[in-house]
């Protein structure tokens, strides 16, 4: 699920970056056409657009590969995707950690029964469906809208 989530983030990030590039072209071309800048302000405008594009690339394309989501974050994502589970994935993870720490010597049987019960309740859930792939069509629509606006402006 981590790998799929990173791939979804990278694809949607590339689409968002493409939309940002198109909008930067539209913005810089429009301001240049309106104000007829001399070379110094034109350089400032170009630098501003490049800094914004690098920031967008870092945020949406590079950062998903730099930070690894924790097990708790993935469990919460699954719980949000399947609200009928009532946070059982997160609870199972917490119970598993309690069992590993073995804080109370007589509670192992109770913890084991709770883990088995929670795991049985989550068997029908396909955790790969909670990878956030709904972001790709949204980013694609943003890219398409940006391309349409650029085409209409030309």
């Amino acid at each position: 699920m981590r790998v799929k989530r990173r791939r979804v983030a990278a694809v949607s990030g590339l689409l968002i970056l493409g939309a940002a590039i198109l909008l930067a072209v539209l913005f810089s071309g429009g301001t240049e056409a309106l104000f007829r800048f001399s070379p110094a302000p034109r350089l400032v405008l170009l630098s501003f657009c490049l800094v914004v594009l690098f920031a967008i690339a870092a945020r949406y394309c590079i950062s998903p590969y730099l930070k690894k989501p924790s097990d708790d974050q993935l469990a919460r994502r699954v719980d949000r995707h399947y609200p009928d589970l009532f946070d059982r994935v997160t609870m199972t993870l917490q119970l598993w950690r309690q069992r590993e720490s073995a804080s109370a010597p007589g509670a192992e049987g109770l913890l084991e029964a709770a883990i088995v019960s929670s795991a049985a309740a989550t068997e029908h859930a396909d955790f790969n469906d909670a990878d956030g792939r709904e972001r790709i069509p949204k980013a694609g629509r943003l890219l398409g809208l940006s391309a349409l606006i650029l085409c209409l402006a030309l």
Side-chain angles (χ1 to χ4, degrees), residues 41-122:
R42 188 177 302 145
L43 182 64
V44 170
L45 177 67
L46 178 64
S47 300
F48 173 74
C49 288
L50 287 176
V51 165
V52 169
L53 290 175
F54 281 128
I56 289 173
R59 165 68 175 91
Y60 291 105
C61 298
I62 298 170
S63 70
Y65 287 101
L66 295 179
K67 58 182 178 182
K68 177 182 167 188
S70 68
D71 291 338
D72 291 324
Q73 289 173 332
L74 293 174
R76 281 192 298 271
R77 180 175 290 275
V78 171
D79 285 334
R80 278 194 308 264
H81 187 74
Y82 294 108
D84 57 327
L85 291 179
F86 302 109
D87 297 333
R88 289 210 179 204
V89 178
T90 304
M91 288 188 310
T92 304
L93 187 62
Q94 291 169 353
L95 290 171
W96 186 268
R97 286 188 186 135
Q98 278 183 344
R99 189 185 79 167
E100 286 180 346
S101 68
S103 58
E108 290 118 11
L110 181 62
L111 283 174
E112 188 69 34
I115 290 171
V116 169
S117 171
S118 292
T122 60

